Amino acid sequence: MAVTVRWKAGAERQVSQEWWRGGIGTRLVRAFRSGACRFVRNRSQVIPWIRDMHAAVLPQGPAEGLCFIPIEGQKTQLIGYLLIACLRGEAVVVDPPCGTTELILALLAEHEARLTKVLRTHVHQVDTDDATALCVRSGARLVMRRGGTRVVDAGHEVFEVEAGVTLRIGGECIHVLSTPGHTPTCVSYLWRDRLFCGDVFDLGSCAVGNNEAEPSRLYDTLTRCVFDLPDETLVFPAHSIKGRRVALLGELRARYGTVLGHSRDAFITEMGLRRIVRPALGRMLPPG
């Protein structure tokens, strides 16, 4: 089925419905009106602007592409990631920030998509980014690591996963990795070359006496799991890393090499010393 796009009288063309869905039609019309591109005679004549847009919005691959939208919360600075299978009208969101329910629902409506899963990399004992409202209103299943802190609410379904499980959205695969350390039941989600890792690089949580953080397990996660991935892997954290919202894994490997480059015991000892020194320094500094 094709959709007819009318620019002005006598200037209209048909574009496939595949191009039109997921808000792409709106972008085409805006480009036509601005003169940024001309109409195409058929689907094989894809002009540079449309080709660039297609590459950005629908990644190439054997399966259908996804629309990838980062979402940053204002209250907790948590960064979530919305993935939409534009052609099938399905979506998942990773670590949706508190206060973004209306925004996510609006984006889903714009793309005519249904949220099927809410993926949590970790849930703290005091969950400041509770996704209950989003699950209830969208009908999505909450996905979290088996044995993790449960959200006390009977209004939505909870799907507990283990490492090695593969989740699907459209024709794409999202792989579940076990990455404990920041909390005992942290997981990361690997989609193509993108790793949604939660707070696995938050070494500071081990140094401030966070009772959920475990330095030994975090060391094992980084050295034996995360850093086994290719250097070209794009890392998308739940909170920015030194101001960076995305980084190459190779860059992070070099950055954290000084801390993780020694033995496991040395890392645990250093984190233990920091837990002692930081409170002492805090007591020595004047208030304010």
Side-chain angles (χ1 to χ4, degrees):
M1 179 179 178
V3 177
T4 300
V5 179
R6 184 186 298 271
W7 180 28
K8 61 183 180 181
E12 62 182 30
R13 290 292 187 274
Q14 286 190 333
V15 295
S16 70
Q17 191 177 40
E18 294 177 353
W19 282 102
W20 189 258
R21 292 196 59 179
I24 295 175
T26 303
R27 296 180 178 90
L28 285 172
V29 171
R30 289 174 180 170
F32 293 155
R33 288 176 176 172
S34 67
C37 67
R38 64 178 187 276
F39 285 99
V40 295
R41 294 182 181 276
N42 55 58
R43 293 168 62 181
S44 64
Q45 293 178 309
V46 182
I47 60 176
W49 186 90
I50 296 180
R51 184 178 62 247
D52 294 342
M53 181 200 68
H54 184 270
V57 178
L58 297 178
Q60 299 294 312
E64 69 182 63
L66 284 87
C67 180
F68 173 67
I69 307 174
I71 300 172
E72 187 169 359
Q74 295 184 346
K75 295 181 179 180
T76 60
Q77 284 72 54
L78 181 72
I79 308 172
Y81 304 95
L82 181 63
L83 309 178
I84 304 175
C86 299
L87 305 186
R88 296 195 183 184
E90 300 175 3
V92 301
V93 63
V94 181
D95 287 334
C98 176
T100 60
T101 296
E102 296 298 335
L103 171 61
I104 292 172
L105 293 176
L107 290 170
L108 292 169
E110 177 187 352
H111 290 81
E112 299 180 1
R114 177 176 63 91
L115 189 66
T116 59
K117 298 180 182 69
V118 174
L119 312 182
R120 298 294 300 273
T121 57
H122 62 287
V123 178
H124 287 287
Q125 294 172 359
V126 178
D127 187 17
T128 55
D129 286 288
D130 178 26
T132 298
L134 179 60
C135 290
V136 171
R137 294 186 59 182
S138 65
R141 302 171 74 184
L142 178 66
V143 178
M144 57 187 295
R145 174 73 178 270
R146 187 180 303 278
T149 303
R150 293 295 299 270
V151 179
V152 182
D153 187 277
H156 63 279
E157 183 180 359
V158 177
F159 179 49
E160 295 183 317
V161 296
E162 294 284 4
V165 170
T166 299
L167 307 172
R168 296 189 179 277
I169 171 177
E172 298 280 341
C173 296
I174 300 175
H175 304 284
V176 180
L177 307 180
S178 176
T179 53
H182 180 66
T183 70
T185 55
C186 285
V187 294
S188 296
Y189 300 99
L190 181 64
W191 166 55
R192 295 194 177 191
D193 63 346
R194 303 185 182 197
L195 180 69
F196 306 105
C197 63
D199 288 320
V200 73
F201 285 97
D202 181 16
L203 303 189
S205 63
C206 294
V208 296
N210 184 336
N211 60 359
E212 295 181 86
E214 301 179 46
S216 59
R217 300 186 74 181
L218 186 57
Y219 181 90
D220 293 340
T221 285
L222 290 171
T223 58
R224 300 179 184 178
C225 178
V226 174
F227 287 151
D228 278 347
L229 297 172
D231 283 349
E232 295 76 19
T233 302
L234 294 171
V235 176
F236 291 89
H239 294 89
S240 61
I241 303 173
K242 304 294 185 181
R244 298 281 298 277
R245 290 167 174 78
V246 59
L248 286 170
L249 185 58
E251 297 175 2
L252 297 177
R253 190 195 311 276
R255 173 178 294 173
Y256 289 91
T258 54
V259 179
L260 299 171
H262 303 293
S263 68
R264 184 174 186 268
D265 289 342
F267 176 78
I268 296 172
T269 300
E270 181 175 349
M271 293 300 107
L273 289 174
R274 290 186 183 186
R275 288 185 178 187
I276 297 173
V277 171
R278 284 191 177 185
L281 287 176
R283 290 191 295 268
M284 293 172 61
L285 294 175

